[in-house]
Amino acid sequence: MLIGIIGGTGSQGLGIAKRLAIADFDVIVGSRKEEKAVRVVEEANSDISEYTSNKMVGKANEDAARDADLLILTVPLEAQIATLKTIKEFVKGKIILDATVPLETAIGGNVSNLLHVNPGSAAERTAKFLANEDVKVVSAFCNISNFHLANIPEPIDCDCLICGDDAESKEIASEIIEKIPDLRVVDIGKLEKAHLIESITPLLIGLNIKYKSHYGGFRLTGIDFE
Ligand SMILES: NC(=O)c1ccc[n+]([C@@H]2O[C@H](COP(=O)([O-])OP(=O)(O)OC[C@H]3O[C@@H](n4cnc5c(N)ncnc54)[C@H](OP(=O)(O)O)[C@@H]3O)[C@@H](O)[C@H]2O)c1
């Protein structure tokens, strides 16, 4: 499967890209500027060369969206709709994993506060904006810190909460995400639950700041998911 990371040159997107490349997926790292994607990917490929012979490629976001089978959106909230506008014509029928978290920083506020958006979550904004494109949006990766992703080859001792309206897309997303060592996917339901997933991220950021960590994560206990 060819996976395209839209806004993949940032710490979250590139961390996901490296982990998935090591897991043997073909990965395109997207950027607004193709030259930037190519440059970033060259260094990223050398970072992971010890763990895989798989090579990521860098492309403009539009080309990544057109060529990939499944997309992962990793841009700040303030860039979300502008970015989706640039790829809209290439996304028909595709699965989009949305890692966007609406942090208050989007309006100059605090990084450990959630910004309330309309509709109720960043993932639903994506679904609403692409409503005519038959896309399947799955909220994913919102609670996984870029430090964990970059800490290769260490396993990631966290749960990755996901939600979405299409069961098959969530199964595909889970199969991909769980190729990253120790990450466990927990499906919390329909896309209308995405605000719950997104709200955990500023909580974790605040705890990381308070306790001087970068690895705050989330593990559910006491529930048998089998
Ligand atoms: N970092 C984390 O630990 C973490 C954890 C969970 C969720 N998230 C969420 O994942 C998303 C990405 O996080 P990040 O830390 O990787 O973000 P980031 O580094 O600030 O941005 C990611 C990429 O988005 C593009 N971008 C930035 N500003 C833009 C703008 N104004 N317009 C269009 N494109 C812009 C840039 O790519 P180009 O310049 O190459 O186009 C940039 O490399 C955010 O929504 C964040 O809340 C992050």
Side-chain angles (χ1 to χ4, degrees), residues 15-191:
I16 294 169
K18 288 178 182 175
R19 291 287 188 163
L20 296 183
I22 290 170
D24 257 353
F25 290 103
D26 294 320
V27 177
I28 305 172
V29 171
S31 167
R32 284 169 291 182
K33 291 203 161 36
E34 185 182 2
E35 317 82 83
K36 179 178 174 186
V38 169
R39 178 169 36 83
V40 168
V41 157
E42 197 178 331
E43 193 181 327
N45 278 332
S46 97
D47 293 343
I48 60 170
S49 60
E50 195 183 327
Y51 309 104
T52 180
S53 56
N54 204 3
K55 295 260 186 273
M56 300 175 277
V57 298
K59 294 189 178 185
N61 282 331
E62 295 86 335
D63 295 331
R66 187 194 57 223
D67 296 348
D69 305 307
L70 175 144
L71 305 176
I72 304 179
L73 182 66
T74 55
V75 295
L77 181 78
E78 54 273 37
Q80 186 190 25
I81 298 301
T83 304
L84 291 174
K85 272 185 192 159
T86 67
I87 63 168
K88 188 174 180 179
E89 65 182 291
F90 307 112
V91 298
K92 206 156 209 80
K94 296 188 182 183
I95 297 171
I96 301 184
L97 310 191
D98 196 341
T100 311
V101 177
L103 297 175
E104 231 184 51
T105 45
I107 54 163
N110 195 310
V111 70
S112 57
N113 285 338
L114 190 74
L115 181 69
H116 296 278
V117 291
N118 184 10
S121 64
E124 289 169 284
R125 285 178 102 208
T126 293
K128 185 176 176 190
F129 185 76
L130 299 175
N132 295 326
E133 311 307 321
D134 186 32
V135 296
K136 278 90 183 167
V137 178
V138 178
S139 173
F141 286 114
C142 292
N143 307 143
I144 310 302
S145 129
N146 66 301
F147 282 86
H148 264 308
L149 291 163
N151 195 19
I152 293 167
E154 293 306 312
I156 301 182
D157 180 18
C158 293
D159 285 341
C160 180
L161 302 186
I162 69 165
C163 66
D165 292 338
D166 182 66
E168 193 188 350
S169 307
K170 289 192 284 189
E171 272 170 35
I172 292 168
S174 303
E175 277 169 28
I176 293 169
I177 295 165
E178 289 193 339
K179 291 276 183 340
I180 300 174
D182 275 16
L183 261 194
R184 179 180 66 170
V185 169
V186 178
D187 175 3
I188 72 157
K190 299 273 193 191
L191 200 65

